[in-house]
Amino acid sequence: MMRVSVVRGIAALAVIAATTATAGVAAAEPSDSKPTSPSKSAPATAPLPSRVVTKTQVTGQEMLLEVYSAAMGRTIPLTVLRPKDDARPAPVLYLLNGAGGGEDSASWKVKTAYKKFFADKHVNVVTPVGGAFSYYTDWQRDDPHLGRNKWQTFLTEEVPPLVDDALNSTGANAIAGISMAGTSVFNLAIAAPDLYRSVASYSGCARTSDPLGQAYIRTVIGDRGHGDVTNMWGPLNGPGWRKNDPYLHADKLRGVKVYMTSGSGLPGRYDTLTSRLIDGDPAMLMDQVLMGGAIEAVVNSCTQQMRAQLAKNNVDTTVITRPTGSHSWGYWEQDLYKTWPMIAKDLAAAKKPGEDRAAG
């Protein structure tokens, strides 16, 4: 059954490039319209140090931090959800969006009720707005269309100390992401082994150097983002791709709790006309069931492969495999809610080496 699903998924990937998704799939893999964002241009040099430029209270427990990245030479907005008791230090959950980077309407803020969910949780939830089609990695070269991307440096080196100071954090961190970012979270944790206590990948694919993984990445970056994938990690099948393949470096995730979720691709509870994000639109439903189902079947195969690899390398891993479900927001929202109690325990545990403050 899995082999049939994977074959269907591979065939669907060829179709995805010519398909303009507008619904469930569009939630993670936006349409060809270019997001309007300052992140598409970057100066040749970045003489100023990384720093918090502005700190603005938006509404209630939501805050906006604007952080200047010396690595990318531009200012990146960070949406922050603060705990009710913000006088007491709290840990940080870095929650990443999918292929659109939150520059479009496909974001945790727009597609889910995550603000309500975290309102009574003692945690700072930090989400960068930017990084569309970047895989949140450090690109080898600037791209004519996607600009300068040094997201690994930004997220693992520049942002954490600034966030810790601005939010008075405990020094305990976790990171989670969907779809494209479900790949990125593994590489970010490998690049900064002492930074995160746990990593959650919701419908992500950890395989980046095998043919299927590369086909998926070409669809996201090339067909949808109009970028050149060789500007990211160099020539396909080259050392840059192997270096950034979490499957090949699973042993480096020892000491980090890993959570992975995926569905079979078969229609499920959020793939109906009455689903909240479908709103009775037959075309939207068809897109989510067909394209979203095919993508999730491929992702599920990738997830099971990574599961075996992590077990082989004695990495503490929890995998939630749904018998149904497409590549869409209804499932990712529930995946976040289901894994949060486990992540919260990781963040509240006794401090790890290198953490400045005990978890509160």
Side-chain angles (χ1 to χ4, degrees), residues 52-57 63-66 82 165-168:
V52 174
V53 177
T54 63
K55 182 178 178 181
T56 307
Q57 192 69 33
M63 175 186 292
L64 176 68
L65 289 182
E66 292 188 294
R82 296 282 276 147
D165 288 342
L167 305 181
N168 185 30

Side-chain angles (χ1 to χ4, degrees), residues 134-135 137-141 152 183 187 190 206-210 214 217 221 229-249 252:
S134 71
Y135 269 83
T137 189
D138 281 3
W139 286 44
Q140 293 183 1
R141 295 182 297 274
Q152 182 172 291
T183 302
N187 280 329
I190 290 170
R207 302 299 303 270
T208 62
S209 63
D210 76 328
Q214 290 186 344
I217 292 172
I221 293 177
V229 294
T230 65
N231 286 331
M232 184 169 73
W233 292 328
L236 290 171
N237 304 317
W241 289 78
R242 292 189 293 274
K243 178 183 178 182
N244 289 280
D245 190 332
Y247 180 87
L248 300 180
H249 304 285
K252 296 180 180 179

Side-chain angles (χ1 to χ4, degrees), residues 107-188:
S107 66
W108 288 102
K109 184 175 181 178
V110 175
K111 296 294 184 180
T112 74
Y114 91 126
K115 288 201 292 185
K116 180 179 180 181
F117 177 78
F118 282 109
D120 63 350
K121 311 295 189 293
H122 194 68
V123 63
N124 296 293
V125 183
V126 177
T127 302
V129 180
F133 314 110
S134 71
Y135 269 83
Y136 291 112
T137 189
D138 281 3
W139 286 44
Q140 293 183 1
R141 295 182 297 274
D142 292 356
D143 187 85
H145 191 80
L146 298 177
R148 175 167 298 170
N149 288 297
K150 297 292 181 182
W151 287 94
Q152 182 172 291
T153 296
F154 179 70
L155 290 171
T156 63
E157 298 178 20
E158 297 179 322
V159 165
L162 296 174
V163 163
D164 286 348
D165 288 342
L167 305 181
N168 185 30
S169 85
T170 63
N173 305 296
I175 189 166
I178 62 162
S179 193
M180 177 191 82
T183 302
S184 310
V185 293
F186 290 117
N187 280 329
L188 292 167

Side-chain angles (χ1 to χ4, degrees), residues 23-45:
V25 182
E29 315 298 347
S31 66
D32 288 341
S33 59
K34 182 179 176 182
T36 55
S37 166
S39 67
K40 297 300 178 282
S41 61
T45 59

